[in-house]
Amino acid sequence: MNNIPKIPSSEITSLQHYLGRRRFMKGAAVAASALALAACGAPTLTPSSSDKSSTPPASPAPTAGASSADAVLVDELGQEANTYQEITSYNNFYEFTTNKEAVAPMSKGYPTEPWKIEVGGLVNKPGVYDLDDLNKFQQEERIYRLRCVEAWSMVIPWVGFPLAALLKQVEPTSQAKYVRFETIYDPDRMPGQRSNWYEWPYIEGLRLDEAMHDLTLLATGLYGEAMPIQNGAPVRLVVPWKYGFKSIKSIVRIDLVEEQPTSLWMAAAPNEYGFYANVNPDVSHPRWSQRSERRIGELKRRETPPFNGYGEQVAYLYEGMDLKVNF
Ligand code: MTE
């Protein structure tokens, strides 16, 4: 277990933030608003403690749709959150395996404590952040849609904080144009990294203004619990308007750079995966259409909206750009 504390969903202050301005719940409107009020008054983050693993979860076993209050978490469009079970048992984490159902069992017990993220490059104040440092940022709940480039999707109640808060602390210089992220490299314990199909470690990148956007999250948990390893413990990126592969897991380095970083996927298949990777139903993957998606847990396919439904918030970032060229 890492030491980012379990945060009872009812105590997360994000309840009034942006898309999480209030906690969207179906079927429990009264209970939900009472919860939100309580949460405003009591933003608590318990300090980490070494015997965390023996402490029972502060909130009931998280299963969306089945809580005692009959409350189902929904995103700002009213779409229901996937269950904890779905979110934690169907994963992409190629460092372990390409078999989605096998990621959870294969990653079980992977040590994520101690953990450090080095933040550097073109910044005035480079720093090394451990879990206690990350825990000092105000943690929020954000219920986001995750759309994988493979055309499946989920709705996930993340816990985390805006990447912008961390970037402001390190003070990017005027030369910094992009942010480059790197996942841990540990081939002894991550069997997928022994395959030379890919150039390890996993690398991702964002333009600086994308990284500074309020929707861009450094996630430390989900469903009010510390991040499960299969979802990228102890800390991973979440960029909800881009295909899921941009949301890099288990980050150990963040660098501010001048040149556009080359991601693992760009290096592996440049004709299939571009740098921007904005969700775009008008640009097909060379091997399949991106017009619709399969929401995990549903039978009927859904249409995929541009920018995964976040166009109002982010389309301005790409004004004047040809998104078919910059895919
Ligand atoms: N990060 C790393 N380091 N390794 C990966 O294989 N897979 C990506 C992304 N981040 C991946 C990664 C892909 S393709 C997706 S769709 C999402 O993680 C899946 O996140 P989830 O398993 O939490 O749903």
Side-chain angles (χ1 to χ4, degrees):
M1 290 281 302
N2 65 57
N3 69 357
I4 291 197
K6 291 175 175 167
I7 307 165
S9 293
S10 59
E11 292 183 4
I12 295 164
T13 50
S14 74
L15 306 177
Q16 346 192 300
H17 198 281
Y18 208 46
L19 293 182
R21 207 169 282 129
R22 62 195 169 86
R23 190 158 201 206
F24 299 94
M25 297 179 111
K26 252 190 194 167
V30 176
S33 56
L35 207 72
L37 280 176
C40 305
T44 4
L45 274 182
T46 346
S48 51
S49 69
S50 49
D51 62 350
K52 201 88 207 106
S53 51
S54 61
T55 316
S59 47
T63 43
S67 89
S68 53
D70 284 335
V72 179
L73 287 178
V74 294
D75 67 12
E76 87 289 359
L77 301 180
Q79 299 181 11
E80 289 186 14
N82 283 87
T83 64
Y84 186 85
Q85 174 65 18
E86 286 165 341
I87 295 167
T88 57
S89 60
Y90 187 83
N91 300 99
N92 271 337
F93 204 162
Y94 278 32
E95 282 83 343
F96 290 101
T97 169
T98 55
N99 175 345
K100 295 179 194 354
E101 281 90 7
V103 174
M106 282 182 70
S107 60
K108 201 165 183 224
Y110 187 86
T112 55
E113 195 184 0
W115 194 273
K116 283 185 173 27
I117 303 186
E118 281 188 60
V119 188
L122 301 171
V123 298
N124 292 324
K125 296 183 176 166
V128 179
Y129 290 76
D130 65 17
L131 295 182
D132 286 334
D133 299 324
L134 296 177
N135 194 33
K136 286 181 193 136
F137 291 93
Q138 182 65 62
Q139 310 286 314
E140 309 175 357
E141 181 174 76
R142 303 273 188 105
I143 304 174
Y144 283 165
R145 296 171 291 287
L146 177 105
R147 168 60 158 84
C148 180
V149 74
E150 299 162 334
W152 55 266
S153 65
M154 295 204 206
V155 177
I156 303 180
W158 300 110
V159 175
F161 60 93
L163 172 63
L166 175 71
L167 295 181
K168 280 178 197 154
Q169 239 178 45
V170 296
E171 295 181 6
T173 67
S174 56
Q175 259 183 301
K177 301 284 183 292
Y178 295 91
V179 187
R180 180 186 181 278
F181 305 86
E182 195 174 311
T183 294
I184 191 168
Y185 181 65
D186 185 6
D188 288 345
R189 282 184 287 207
M190 292 180 147
Q193 286 183 334
R194 286 177 237 143
S195 129
N196 48 20
W197 280 91
Y198 301 102
E199 277 176 37
W200 305 104
Y202 199 101
I203 302 292
E204 259 309 334
L206 294 174
R207 222 170 53 193
L208 184 55
D209 56 351
E210 298 177 319
M212 295 296 287
H213 194 283
D214 186 57
L215 282 178
T216 304
L217 207 65
L218 273 182
T220 55
L222 56 88
Y223 265 110
E225 301 276 327
M227 188 69 78
I229 178 61
Q230 61 268 37
N231 294 91
V235 61
R236 57 97 52 94
L237 187 70
V238 182
V239 194
W241 71 95
K242 293 178 179 282
Y243 290 119
F245 66 83
K246 298 295 288 184
S247 294
I248 180 173
K249 296 178 170 181
S250 305
I251 297 169
V252 290
R253 258 204 94 81
I254 299 178
D255 283 303
L256 281 286
V257 296
E258 195 168 3
E259 304 291 326
Q260 188 180 93
T262 302
S263 70
L264 172 138
W265 289 107
M266 290 163 73
N271 60 323
E272 300 192 357
Y273 308 105
F275 174 77
Y276 283 94
N278 292 316
V279 173
N280 190 345
D282 294 336
V283 176
S284 297
H285 186 280
R287 291 180 278 134
W288 59 84
S289 162
Q290 294 291 21
R291 291 232 162 264
S292 69
E293 66 199 55
R294 181 175 63 95
R295 176 68 46 84
I296 299 305
E298 291 181 358
L299 291 175
K300 218 171 136 249
R301 291 181 78 86
R302 292 171 173 259
E303 278 188 23
T304 293
F307 298 111
N308 203 21
Y310 299 95
E312 245 177 70
Q313 288 85 21
V314 301
Y316 76 91
L317 292 168
Y318 310 102
E319 250 164 47
M321 282 177 66
D322 183 343
L323 295 180
K324 292 199 164 116
V325 178
N326 295 288
F327 63 94

